[in-house]
Amino acid sequence: MKIVSIVGNRPQFIKAAPTSVALRERGFEEVVIHTGQHYDRELSQVFFEELGLDEPSYRLDLRTADTDLMRPAIKDRLIEEQPDWTLVYGDTNSTLAGADAAAELGIRLAHVEAGLRSGDLSMPEERNRIETDRIAQLLFCPDERSRETLVAEGVEGQAEVVGDVMADATRLFEPIARKRARVDQPAPYAVLTIHREANTEPARLRELIAALNATGWTFVFPVHPRTRKVLDENSIHTGPDVHEIEPVGYLEMLALVAGASRVVTDSGGLQKESYWLRVPCITLQPSTEWVDTVLVGANTLVDPVDPSPLGPALENAAFPADAPPLYGDGHAAERIAEALYTLQPR
Ligand code: UDP
């Protein structure tokens, strides 16, 4: 059986790494299409090298997040390959473009990370999730909550709780990352990432940086290219305790988080990774799709519209001693491969 996997950005390369291994081990032929949504080396190629991913079969090199440009290019490759399944990950525009392309061609679609909802329809990611889940035949949920969400929405596809493939990646790569951990970080420090569209709007970003500067905490801040551009073009300056660095590879990021006393982020992936590495997280969003991290007390939401609670949130954050395991056991990819092999969609 043949699978076409569609990837386009940093978290998708990370999600694809354990999945590709499991697909290969289950005897699938996997063809990878890289849309080129992320094209900077530090957001793209470095992950292929570091995670041992095969070179994509197709590099569309589109350098855009516009689904109307991605979809026809993906369709051409799907027509050529005629896979048994198209596999899409997460909630980006590459996810939606791949999903729509498969649906338009009547090719079976499976969605990894299905059923997540933040409830905030102003976020493009939330709209991408809902639309992809609506048209997928197989929906791979990280937990029971997401499966129940899909049932409540009445999606037509078959929902399977398999766990989260990012937990697989953390399980596989954390030991390697810890061995490579840098020793020159200021201690103690918080890891900071900001990249969401809403948070990189210049006035918002200026306020966020001012609030972070005022906390007195030391931050290590791998700056996403989108954020770099807005900082530079608007002369927004971080304070002396905010150590800006280039975006880092996945192993270095895991090591940074593992050694941090806090994570402050608007990244979906980092909210989970900080949980699995037992570091308290502060999320710079009014809502999150990773609801249980908040419910168990490991993740605190700070609405960036008013970042003044940031200081107290940093002070008060603590990782709960009785935190339950969330989002699977680190073996989601094997279940995904097995389900693709055995399940016939209704
Ligand atoms: N990440 C990384 N290097 C960085 C920043 C993040 O490897 O400099 C990793 C992070 O550990 C996580 C993923 O990238 O696995 C998250 O990607 P991103 O924040 O771009 O997207 P999101 O998770 O919000 O979809």
Side-chain angles (χ1 to χ4, degrees), residues 47-65:
F47 293 93
F48 281 84
E49 292 162 11
E50 197 169 53
L51 302 174
L53 285 166
D54 287 342
E55 275 302 299
S57 315
Y58 298 103
R59 280 183 183 278
L60 305 184
D61 206 21
L62 294 168
R63 299 185 174 226
T64 176

Side-chain angles (χ1 to χ4, degrees), residues 83-324:
D84 297 286
W85 287 100
T86 298
L87 194 55
V88 295
Y89 300 88
D91 55 19
T92 72
N93 286 3
S94 296
T95 315
L96 182 60
D100 281 341
E104 283 173 23
L105 294 170
I107 295 173
R108 296 187 293 181
L109 174 69
H111 183 206
V112 176
E113 229 180 59
L116 276 301
R117 299 290 182 267
S118 68
D120 181 356
L121 281 168
S122 71
M123 286 180 70
E125 293 86 353
E126 180 78 349
R127 300 193 298 275
N128 290 343
R129 289 177 202 127
I130 292 171
E131 178 58 11
T132 304
D133 286 340
R134 197 181 61 77
I135 58 181
Q137 281 77 41
L138 243 181
L139 300 123
F140 292 121
C141 304
D143 64 356
E144 189 53 34
R145 176 189 295 280
S146 41
R147 194 190 67 77
E148 282 167 12
T149 300
L150 293 173
V151 170
E153 285 181 10
V155 300
E156 286 183 9
Q158 182 165 340
E160 294 288 320
V161 178
V162 292
D164 188 335
V165 288
M166 272 199 148
D168 298 25
T170 303
R171 179 181 63 78
L172 293 168
F173 291 102
E174 184 201 346
I176 309 168
R178 281 194 193 264
K179 275 190 210 137
R180 288 203 199 168
R182 293 208 309 205
V183 286
D184 59 348
Q185 295 306 333
Y189 64 94
V191 173
L192 170 66
T193 78
I194 302 174
H195 77 291
R196 292 256 163 256
E197 199 172 292
N199 284 345
T200 50
E201 188 273 316
R204 163 81 61 93
L205 185 59
R206 189 182 297 283
E207 274 188 41
L208 275 177
I209 296 292
L212 289 156
N213 287 342
T215 62
W217 278 69
T218 299
F219 295 96
V220 178
F221 181 20
V223 185
H224 190 283
R226 168 193 271 176
T227 315
R228 172 89 277 147
K229 193 162 177 282
V230 182
L231 289 173
D232 290 350
E233 285 176 359
N234 297 276
S235 303
I236 301 170
H237 301 296
T238 53
D241 297 329
V242 181
H243 301 273
E244 293 180 21
I245 57 173
E246 294 293 309
V248 294
Y250 178 60
L251 293 175
E252 192 168 344
M253 195 63 192
L254 282 184
L256 264 180
V257 173
S261 47
R262 304 279 187 275
V263 169
V264 179
T265 191
D266 60 7
S267 156
L270 273 166
Q271 291 174 60
K272 295 177 286 175
E273 285 161 355
S274 52
Y275 191 84
W276 294 320
L277 297 172
R278 305 183 71 81
V279 179
C281 184
I282 286 118
T283 296
L284 299 171
Q285 290 183 170
S287 60
T288 179
E289 65 280 21
W290 302 105
V291 178
D292 287 281
T293 59
V294 176
L295 292 180
V296 304
N299 187 5
T300 309
L301 299 178
V302 170
D303 188 342
V305 167
D306 171 21
S308 58
L310 198 51
L314 275 161
E315 290 307 322
N316 298 332
F319 195 85
D322 56 351

